[in-house]
Amino acid sequence: MNDCLFCKIARGEIPSKAVYEDELTFAFRDIAPQTPTHVLVIPKRHIANWYEARGEEDALLAGMMRAAAKVAELEGLTESGFRVVSNTGADARQTVQHLHMHVMGGCEMTEKMG
Ligand code: AMP
């Protein structure tokens, strides 16, 4: 989608701090980190959210998860642990309508997730 913020980031039209990239996914640092490590993993092609992703090819869906694990490895989080969060829709407070997974770590997090 031409006017989508994360599509523009994936195309390099808006600058970002890249962490990882492969054929299907792109990962970059969140502009307002909520944990010492806070990286967003997105599909390069536009998918709005997890519900819209239900018809996508398995390779892309699995690739998102592999990319999150790769980011954790690159950021040195595999021993200490990390959290992967992905918001879909209004109640979950999704603010950017391009599917993304937050990979967060570098501190002990709270038990509460909702
Ligand atoms: P969500 O609220 O789950 O939709 O997450 C959207 C995330 O995108 C938030 O954590 C924002 O801080 C982050 N964000 C918004 N604009 C940018 C940007 N230009 N570069 C990096 N992260 C961004």
Side-chain angles (χ1 to χ4, degrees), residues 1-53:
M1 207 192 270
N2 276 341
D3 59 351
C4 167
L5 172 64
F6 285 180
C7 283
K8 288 181 178 170
I9 286 177
R11 289 195 297 261
E13 294 168 12
I14 289 178
S16 69
K17 293 182 178 165
V19 172
Y20 173 74
E21 179 173 11
D22 61 30
E23 194 186 332
L24 298 171
T25 70
F26 184 62
F28 56 100
R29 297 197 189 282
D30 196 293
I31 203 166
Q34 295 188 29
T35 47
T37 297
H38 187 168
V39 175
L40 301 173
V41 176
I42 64 170
K44 285 184 172 174
R45 59 186 235 89
H46 186 81
I47 303 168
N49 57 46
W50 281 112
Y51 183 65
E52 295 296 327

Side-chain angles (χ1 to χ4, degrees), residues 5 9 34 39 43 55 58 60 63 65 71-72 79 91 97 100:
L5 172 64
I9 286 177
Q34 295 188 29
V39 175
D58 291 352
L60 177 61
M65 295 182 201
V71 165
E79 293 279 315
D91 275 3
Q97 307 308 314
H100 52 281

